[in-house]
Amino acid sequence: TKIYTRTGDGGSAGLVDGSRVSKASPRMAAIGDVDEANAALGGALALTAAGDDQRRLLAIQNDLFDLGADLATPGEVEGALRIVAPQVERLEREIDAMNADLPPLTSFILPSGSAGIAALHLARAIVRRAERSAVALNEVEAVNPEALKYLNRLSDHLFVTARSVAVREGGEVLWQPGASRSS
């Protein structure tokens, strides 16, 4: 398969329905941020995943491709691939299961620790940007509400995953307010 088409050389990108939009449009910003989140999650996966973590994160990566397709399909298109409520509900179940084994939060957690934990927090922060981009798109063009919910839950999921990995690796790095003021 030829990887380049030259159709985007003028600064536009094709959508699933055949229409073209500027690569600088809110829709393309949201799609790009979801793609970046997926790539960051791949990095986190390479550094942290084993067993259940790997299974969950690979499912999320697949969901993020579904989400990209959802965002790349404006309007109502028969048979369009959309994020659906069961995908959001799965994230919620996984968050609840992981959270049940964690100690209560007593402080903010620094996005730090091992390389894997830091990578999970970076992926979480990129997901939050993707959510902001999708919300901005939704302010000018309707976005599937389940896609917005998915992004919101996903940042929570990655936070809890990072906490879970940190606890397994010996502990979280906690914020100490004002700790360096007198340095």
Side-chain angles (χ1 to χ4, degrees), residues 16-74:
V16 172
D17 66 356
S19 64
R20 297 197 68 79
V21 297
S22 167
K23 290 182 179 182
S25 71
R27 183 170 302 280
M28 292 309 297
I31 292 167
D33 287 345
V34 167
D35 184 37
E36 185 179 350
N38 205 347
L41 192 55
L45 231 163
L47 293 168
T48 63
D52 287 341
D53 288 338
Q54 184 177 43
R55 178 190 54 76
R56 285 189 295 263
L57 295 175
L58 285 170
I60 289 166
Q61 281 199 298
N62 196 76
D63 287 349
L64 288 174
F65 265 87
D66 291 353
L67 181 55
D70 189 331
L71 293 171
T73 310

Side-chain angles (χ1 to χ4, degrees), residues 100-115:
D101 296 331
L102 295 175
L105 282 171
T106 58
S107 172
F108 284 105
I109 297 166
L110 297 180
S112 189
S114 68

Side-chain angles (χ1 to χ4, degrees), residues 104-142:
L105 282 171
T106 58
S107 172
F108 284 105
I109 297 166
L110 297 180
S112 189
S114 68
I117 295 164
L120 284 163
H121 280 293
L122 179 60
R124 173 191 54 78
I126 295 169
V127 166
R128 291 183 73 184
R129 178 168 16 100
E131 181 184 12
R132 290 190 302 272
S133 293
V135 168
L137 171 61
N138 191 54
E139 289 176 359
V140 294
E141 293 182 63

